[in-house]
Amino acid sequence: MQDQLGGQYSTAFGSLGQYEKGGVEVINDNPKHYAFSNMFEVATGAKPYEKVAVAKNLEYVLEVIRAEGTSGWRATPHDEFALVMDGSLEVELLDPDEQLVSDDASGSIGLEGTPAGKPMGRVQAGRGHMTLLPAGKAYRLHSDGVAVVLLQTIEGPDTVYRWADICQTV
C-alpha cells in the first residue's frame, strides 16, 4: 500500500500469541506511524479484568483489560467504549431499576452481586469490534478464552498504573 507521498507502509495487527514490543520511533507527523501501546504485553501480565492504564490525557484513560471468564457487574455515569483487540467477548447489558453510581463518579464502579433491572441484551464482539457501554447502565463482560480489550473511559478507582513496567526504559 502507498501513502499520499508514494512511500510504502504496512499495518501490523498484533495478538496475544504474536506481537512485537513497541519502542520509540521518531515520526514526521504521519498518523500511520502512531501505535497504541504495548497492550498485548500488558495483557499477558495482567490479572483477569484488571484495568491497566496504557495512555492518559487529563482525566481520560485507555485501559487494557485481559478478559478471561466472567467479570463482575460494573456501572458508569458516562459512556465507555470497549474495542476488542484479540479474541472474542460477550457484553451483557442491564437497565438498572435505580441509579447505581452518582453522576459525579469517575470511571466504572464495581457492583456487589447482580443489580436489579431489566436485561437489555447481549453484544457478541470479535477482534476489531467496538462496543458502547452506555452511561447509567450496568454491564459485565465474558470471554470463553482470553480476549484483550482496550477501554476508553475516565480514570476511576480501579484504574491501575504501571508506568515503570509499561514504558520503554534504557
Side-chain angles (χ1 to χ4, degrees):
M1 188 173 273
Q2 289 190 330
D3 64 16
Q4 292 175 349
L5 300 175
Q8 296 291 317
Y9 68 91
S10 63
T11 301
F13 202 88
S15 68
L16 276 174
Q18 182 178 351
Y19 64 88
E20 184 177 320
K21 182 174 180 171
V24 176
E25 177 184 355
V26 178
I27 61 168
N28 188 15
D29 291 326
N30 188 334
K32 293 185 302 296
H33 294 167
Y34 290 90
F36 285 106
S37 182
N38 298 322
M39 70 181 77
F40 299 112
E41 183 175 15
V42 170
T44 297
K47 298 174 189 165
Y49 297 103
E50 186 174 44
K51 297 162 49 92
V52 183
V54 294
K56 182 171 173 38
N57 182 13
L58 302 173
E59 71 271 19
Y60 300 100
V61 294
L62 291 176
E63 297 171 339
V64 166
I65 298 172
R66 178 188 181 100
E68 190 172 5
T70 303
S71 73
W73 285 95
R74 301 190 72 81
T76 178
H78 50 78
D79 289 342
E80 295 181 318
F81 295 92
L83 175 60
V84 180
M85 299 302 295
D86 193 19
S88 61
L89 185 73
E90 179 180 85
V91 181
E92 186 176 355
L93 298 165
L94 185 132
D95 186 8
D97 289 342
E98 59 186 39
Q99 185 173 347
L100 299 172
V101 293
S102 68
D103 291 334
D104 62 349
S106 294
S108 62
I109 308 299
L111 305 173
E112 293 292 327
T114 302
K118 297 176 191 155
M120 294 173 57
R122 299 172 189 266
V123 175
Q124 293 293 136
R127 183 177 177 179
H129 294 152
M130 181 179 279
T131 302
L132 170 68
L133 306 174
K137 309 304 180 194
Y139 68 86
R140 71 177 169 183
L141 310 176
H142 174 80
S143 180
D144 287 332
V146 178
V148 178
V149 178
L150 186 65
L151 185 72
Q152 181 265 316
T153 186
I154 293 177
E155 177 181 4
D158 296 336
T159 303
V160 175
Y161 291 97
R162 294 200 179 107
W163 299 132
D165 297 333
I166 295 169
C167 295
Q168 181 176 354
T169 58
V170 178

